[in-house]
């Protein structure tokens, strides 16, 4: 909190990871006393921020976007170094924050409620939207910048202060981004604590979930931890925004354009080494094209350039941690035991860092336990189907409901897919992959994905509270529903 929101915390280290799996440095982990002090400073800073008109707040967010633009390559490098994703994806992630800042600037002049027709003469009925206050933002290792950007840029123009807890394994990028924001805020004579940061682990996350001063808690992470967070927040009747797991499917019908299917499936399954919440984990192929698509996809997999994420030629880097490598190996083993055949991949790559081979598994039934498990690694389960109705049902039979995609040219099928008996996901695509959402739409999913929405459309409403206001400007007191009380 305070002048340098990045300075909270004492002691603590984080271990080996990043491009090479070597130790990158030592990061401070905040104690609960540090957390307490930071919350108090953020709450004080909110009093200043809430009084600034929304378009002026938008102007400050615009300056934050510009400051990030000026450092986009160095920040992208740091994301790549610390998280392990390829450099262009690291830069793309910072670009996403910049784009959300641009979007938020326009939004700062547009948010608000309607004036509604009152049934009573001489009365006005209006909707007033106010900031919730302090927004806690807990983000995950896989998008250590973009997810904070989606939340903070929108939360800020709505008039909220933010308290960010990044993943313990990506502390450096959290500190770097927070310092950039703090400078912009202070240059505008606004307290840096409007965007505060606490570096820490589960103890800080738990404190945030239980803290009544967190007016909204936005949590991105696993379904398992998200459920614990949701229960703790609900226990105090707080408000949460959940962005949890995905077990996303691409469905390819017999009339699909395979020139679109192969690169789409490749990017969705192999991009970010399978560590996106929108990664394609299930590929349903119509039985008539199954063998052809598998052969073409295996050929494409063989050409994926694996290497150092900082090398501009690399398309595929390491997994984030050694634990992820173990989960990958366990999942491959289970897939084999449940009747799957490994078409390609399935092994650890013998080089420094947490590298595994991108993997395709065929021959499993649609409801095999491993197929219904979200493994955060580059394993694609390829499954056969016959009919539209069965495959739509199979898309929906998993616990999560984040992203989904079909490839077809059939107009009727497209609209059935988008309709009430089609995909039950928050993201429903046609002829594009499951991953790579743009910022203008609301991002999020249903069921065990948590139901939250971030970024575009009307997601801003989650960061505000609504009041319905009736104003009597007459000299009479007519009651609603025509009630007479005299």
């Amino acid at each position: 909190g305070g002048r340098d929101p990045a300075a909270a915390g004492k002691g603590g280290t984080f271990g080996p990871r990043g491009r090479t799996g070597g130790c990158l440095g030592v990061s401070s982990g905040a104690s609960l006393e540090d957390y307490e002090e930071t919350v108090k400073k953020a709450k004080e800073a909110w009093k200043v921020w809430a009084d600034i008109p929304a378009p002026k707040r938008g102007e400050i967010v615009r300056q934050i976007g510009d400051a990030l633009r000026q450092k986009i390559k160095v920040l992208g490098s740091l994301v790549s170094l610390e998280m392990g994703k390829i450099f262009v994806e690291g830069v793309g992630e910072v670009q996403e924050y910049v784009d959300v800042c641009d979007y938020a600037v326009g939004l700062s002049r547009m948010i608000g409620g309607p004036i509604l027709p009152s049934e009573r003469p001489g009365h006005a009925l209006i909707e007033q939207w106010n900031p919730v206050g302090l927004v806690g933002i807990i983000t995950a290792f896989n998008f250590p910048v973009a997810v904070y950007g989606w939340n903070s840029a929108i939360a800020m123009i709505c008039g909220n202060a933010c308290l960010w807890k990044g993943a313990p394994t990506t502390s450096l990028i959290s500190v770097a981004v927070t310092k950039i924001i703090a400078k912009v805020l202070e240059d505008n004579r606004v307290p840096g604590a409007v965007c505060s940061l606490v570096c820490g682990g589960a103890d800080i996350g738990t404190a945030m979930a239980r803290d009544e001063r967190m007016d909204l808690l936005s949590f991105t992470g696993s379904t398992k931890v998200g459920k614990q967070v949701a229960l703790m927040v609900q226990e105090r009747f707080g408000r949460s925004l959940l962005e949890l797991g995905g077990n996303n499917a691409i469905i390819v019908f017999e009339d699909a354009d395979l020139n679109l299917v192969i690169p789409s499936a490749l990017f969705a399954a192999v991009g970010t080494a399978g560590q996106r919440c929108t990664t394609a984990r299930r590929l349903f192929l119509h039985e008539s094209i199954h063998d052809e698509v598998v052969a073409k996809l295996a050929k494409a997999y063989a050409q994926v350039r694996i290497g150092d994420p900082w090398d501009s030629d690399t398309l595929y880097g390491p997994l984030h941690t050694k634990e992820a490598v173990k989960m990958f190996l366990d999942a491959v083993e289970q897939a084999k035991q449940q009747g799957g055949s490994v078409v390609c991949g399935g092994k650890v790559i013998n080089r420094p860092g947490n590298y595994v081979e991108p993997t395709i598994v065929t021959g499993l039934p649609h409801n095999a336990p491993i197929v219904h498990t979200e493994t955060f690694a580059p394993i694609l389960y390829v499954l056969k189907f016959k009919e539209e109705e069965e495959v739509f049902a199979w898309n929906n039979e998993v616990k999560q409901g984040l992203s989904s995609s079909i490839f077809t040219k059939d107009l009727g099928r497209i609209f059935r897919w988008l309709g009430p008996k089609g995909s039950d996901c928050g993201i429903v695509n046609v002829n594009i992959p499951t991953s790579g959402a743009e910022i203008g739409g609301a991002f999020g999913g249903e069921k065990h994905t948590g139901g939250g929405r971030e970024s575009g459309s009307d997601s801003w409403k989650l960061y505000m509270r609504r009041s319905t206001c009736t104003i009597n400007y007459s000299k009479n007191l007519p009651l609603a529903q025509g009630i007479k009380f005299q």
Side-chain angles (χ1 to χ4, degrees):
R3 271 198 62 77
D4 183 0
K10 303 175 186 72
T13 62
F14 66 91
R17 67 196 29 83
R19 299 157 57 221
T20 58
C23 192
L24 298 180
V26 177
S27 140
S28 14
S31 67
L32 288 170
E33 291 74 36
D34 295 323
Y35 165 77
E36 187 58 36
E37 187 193 344
T38 307
V39 173
K40 283 180 180 151
K41 293 244 173 88
K43 279 285 192 190
E44 280 302 306
W46 176 76
K47 292 175 183 171
V48 176
W49 188 243
D51 282 342
I52 298 171
K56 175 63 181 148
R57 295 193 297 251
E59 164 55 21
I60 294 171
V61 169
R62 186 192 67 74
Q63 292 171 32
I64 291 169
D66 275 353
L68 293 165
R69 258 189 194 95
Q70 284 159 21
K71 297 206 163 60
I72 194 163
K73 290 218 159 122
V74 66
L75 288 171
S77 293
L78 187 51
V79 170
S80 179
L81 177 70
E82 205 173 19
M83 184 270 158
K85 63 175 65 175
I86 60 174
F87 173 68
V88 289
E89 284 191 31
V91 171
E93 193 179 328
V94 184
Q95 183 62 49
E96 207 165 317
Y97 192 167
V98 170
D99 291 345
V100 174
C101 286
D102 286 351
Y103 175 80
V105 180
L107 200 59
S108 72
R109 293 181 181 271
M110 293 162 65
I111 53 174
I115 298 175
L116 299 157
S118 171
E119 67 183 60
R120 292 175 275 193
H123 284 58
L125 184 57
I126 67 171
E127 221 175 66
Q128 171 75 16
W129 289 81
N130 284 304
V132 291
L134 179 57
V135 177
I137 304 167
I138 299 177
T139 60
F141 76 87
N142 61 332
F143 281 91
V145 175
V147 171
Y148 177 66
W150 293 349
N151 280 278
S152 65
I154 306 292
M156 285 175 78
I157 64 106
C158 290
N160 300 294
C162 299
L163 177 64
W164 181 17
K165 188 194 92 66
T169 54
T170 53
S171 313
L172 298 180
I173 193 69
S174 303
V175 171
V177 167
T178 300
K179 282 184 176 282
I180 289 168
I181 297 168
K183 181 173 187 322
V184 173
L185 289 168
E186 286 162 9
D187 287 350
N188 283 277
R189 302 205 174 124
V190 172
V194 165
C195 287
S196 292
L197 170 71
V198 274
C199 293
D203 56 336
I204 301 291
T206 300
M208 290 171 77
R210 293 208 166 120
D211 194 337
E212 295 212 331
R213 295 166 299 179
M214 292 290 143
D215 299 294
L216 167 67
L217 185 61
S218 173
F219 174 85
T220 301
S222 71
T223 295
K224 184 172 167 237
V225 178
K227 188 176 186 180
Q228 295 167 347
V229 167
L231 290 169
M232 285 187 271
V233 174
Q234 186 57 46
E235 200 167 32
R236 61 177 173 86
F237 286 104
R239 194 193 284 205
S240 59
L241 192 174
L242 302 172
E243 295 281 358
L244 312 176
N247 191 345
N248 316 298
I250 292 176
I251 302 171
V252 184
F253 287 91
E254 62 273 31
D255 65 339
D257 180 349
L258 297 190
N259 292 328
L260 292 177
V261 170
I262 304 303
S264 293
L266 183 72
F267 174 68
V270 172
T272 327
Q275 298 171 107
R276 292 183 182 222
C277 47
T278 51
T279 292
R281 311 205 177 275
R282 299 178 295 150
L283 176 62
F284 290 106
L285 301 175
H286 188 268
E287 58 185 8
S288 64
I289 54 166
H290 175 276
D291 295 357
E292 182 191 356
V293 172
V294 169
K296 285 183 167 162
L297 198 54
K299 200 172 161 190
Y301 266 54
Q303 289 161 2
V304 171
R305 295 184 300 279
I306 299 169
D308 185 329
W310 268 11
D311 184 336
S312 61
D313 224 28
T314 300
L315 286 180
Y316 176 94
L319 291 178
H320 188 55
T321 58
K322 294 208 170 358
E323 292 75 33
V325 175
K326 186 183 179 306
M327 285 190 325
F328 165 84
L329 290 171
D330 289 350
V332 171
E333 200 43 53
Q334 285 177 55
K336 287 180 186 165
Q337 283 168 10
Q338 289 167 29
S341 311
V342 176
V343 173
C344 62
K347 296 190 286 296
V348 171
I349 299 171
N350 185 15
R351 58 173 293 157
N354 305 312
Y355 285 85
V356 300
E357 294 172 345
T359 302
I360 298 173
V361 177
T362 59
L364 284 163
H366 65 94
N367 55 356
I370 193 64
V371 173
H372 278 217
T373 305
E374 180 193 18
T375 304
F376 227 58
I379 305 171
L380 182 65
Y381 303 112
V382 181
L383 311 151
K384 263 186 203 176
F385 75 92
K386 287 185 171 70
E387 304 292 336
E388 175 189 308
E389 200 174 329
E390 70 175 359
V391 80
F392 283 8
W394 295 350
N395 175 76
N396 296 349
E397 74 184 357
V398 295
K399 294 282 190 205
Q400 304 89 338
L402 180 52
S403 188
S404 55
S405 184
I406 61 166
F407 284 78
T408 185
K409 299 190 189 86
D410 182 327
L411 206 53
R413 180 181 287 139
I414 289 168
F415 280 93
R416 288 190 293 275
W417 172 242
L418 304 180
K421 294 176 182 171
S423 172
D424 64 1
C425 294
I427 296 168
V428 183
N429 291 339
V430 178
N431 295 332
I432 67 159
T434 51
S435 58
E438 46 185 276
I439 62 125
F443 181 92
E446 302 299 329
K447 303 188 303 191
H448 286 219
T449 303
R453 292 297 184 278
E454 291 172 350
S455 193
S457 184
D458 65 351
S459 302
W460 62 269
K461 290 180 175 177
L462 291 160
Y463 302 88
M464 302 195 86
R465 57 182 181 80
R466 175 198 330 231
S467 306
T468 301
C469 314
T470 310
I471 300 146
N472 179 2
Y473 56 89
S474 76
K475 291 189 168 64
N476 301 315
L477 191 66
L479 300 177
Q481 292 86 45
I483 291 170
K484 297 275 183 278
F485 195 80
Q486 61 217 81

